[in-house]
Amino acid sequence: MTVRRIGSGGPWEDVVGYSRVVVAGDAAWVSGCTATVDGAVVHPGDMAAQARVAFGVLVEALASAGFTPADVVRTRMYVTDTSRWEEVGRVHGEVFGAVRPATAMIGVAALLHPDMLVEVEADAVRQP
């Protein structure tokens, strides 16, 4: 089976040594996506807006590999303030409400940049 590794050109891919998406057969794994646009974190302080951008990056990454949100079987959301979980949860529902993937929301002390409030990732299996 061929494994494809697709980069996004993000500022940390070469430093850390990862791909935005890895595809093996009919499965894809999307690395953590944040509200980073052109190397800068956008919407500091606004968890919902950051979640929208992060999920947009994730959906775009899926599309670059030939997958859609309907193919997603599992998501993970990392938030720096669990008291604000609903802000991220509602955005997840906007993107995946009808898909209903398995998911987890995990509270973390911090993310890579101090302005980052949320990071999301997904696993997908192409539908026949």
Side-chain angles (χ1 to χ4, degrees):
M1 173 181 326
T2 302
V3 174
R4 285 190 306 143
R5 300 171 200 290
I6 302 168
S8 69
W12 298 290
E13 287 178 9
D14 288 339
V15 174
V16 177
Y18 72 95
S19 299
R20 173 61 61 210
V21 186
V22 175
V23 179
D26 288 331
W29 298 265
V30 181
S31 294
C33 301
T34 63
T36 303
V37 177
D38 296 328
V41 178
V42 296
H43 306 296
D46 189 334
M47 191 172 272
Q50 284 196 8
R52 279 189 185 84
V53 172
F55 279 116
V57 170
L58 190 146
V59 168
E60 185 177 304
L62 286 167
S64 76
F67 290 79
T68 72
D71 297 318
V72 172
V73 296
R74 179 167 174 73
T75 60
R76 281 163 299 286
M77 297 166 275
Y78 303 94
V79 297
T80 58
D81 183 351
T82 57
S83 73
R84 297 174 65 186
W85 70 269
E86 196 168 354
E87 296 173 54
V88 178
R90 286 187 184 281
V91 176
H92 184 276
E94 291 168 10
V95 178
F96 297 108
V99 178
R100 301 180 68 88
T103 194
M105 188 179 300
I106 302 124
V108 297
L111 294 168
L112 186 62
H113 187 283
D115 288 337
M116 290 177 182
L117 303 175
V118 60
E119 184 166 343
V120 298
E121 58 186 32
D123 306 334
V125 177
R126 194 178 337 266
Q127 304 298 311

